[in-house]
Amino acid sequence: MSKVVWFDIPVADMTRAIAFYEKLTAEKLIRLPVGPGKETAIFAAADGGAAGCLFAAPEDEPSHFGSRVYFDASPSIDEWLARVEPAGGRILVPKTEITGGRGVYAYIEDTEGNRIGLNSPA
């Protein structure tokens, strides 16, 4: 079985991106330099979930159409969506039901231009 173990979200402005994601997730990120001209801000891993980070490097560029990361927006995706615009992001696709009773999702755009998914059981 495949398992995601790490993800990077490319950013152009680390300070701006950290401010957005800390407001969106209501969690503190850990900011660390990782080499000349490179910097990261790490998300804490949830039990059984993938860990990941924001990553700023000259060779990386934020993208609206690259791979998509989904955050578990439990217990309420509505609470997460309410924080998107005040944090500087945009809601691209509002809360949408997934067929077969598999919960709901939404797409947002972060302050860097990345398209990010939110997912929740309700």
Side-chain angles (χ1 to χ4, degrees):
M1 177 190 304
S2 307
K3 182 168 111 175
V4 174
V5 297
W6 188 263
F7 63 86
D8 288 345
I9 298 173
V11 303
D13 183 319
M14 185 61 78
T15 299
R16 178 180 62 204
I18 288 172
F20 174 79
Y21 281 98
E22 285 184 343
K23 288 176 187 170
L24 176 68
T25 65
E27 294 180 21
K28 188 81 175 151
L29 297 174
I30 301 165
R31 190 173 185 165
L32 301 167
V34 292
K38 297 181 182 186
E39 187 173 24
T40 189
I42 300 172
F43 294 95
D47 291 340
C53 69
L54 304 177
F55 195 78
E59 66 270 15
D60 289 346
E61 184 177 328
S63 172
H64 200 239
F65 297 106
S67 297
R68 193 170 12 227
V69 172
Y70 285 79
F71 282 91
D72 178 357
S74 296
S76 170
I77 198 170
D78 294 322
E79 291 175 13
W80 283 61
L81 288 170
R83 295 191 294 253
V84 171
E85 291 176 349
R90 288 189 317 140
I91 297 171
L92 300 174
V93 174
K95 177 177 159 182
T96 304
E97 287 191 40
I98 303 169
T99 58
R102 294 187 175 109
V104 294
Y105 75 92
Y107 294 141
I108 65 170
E109 182 179 73
D110 70 9
T111 54
E112 306 307 293
N114 294 302
R115 186 173 48 162
I116 301 295
L118 303 177
N119 180 266
S120 177

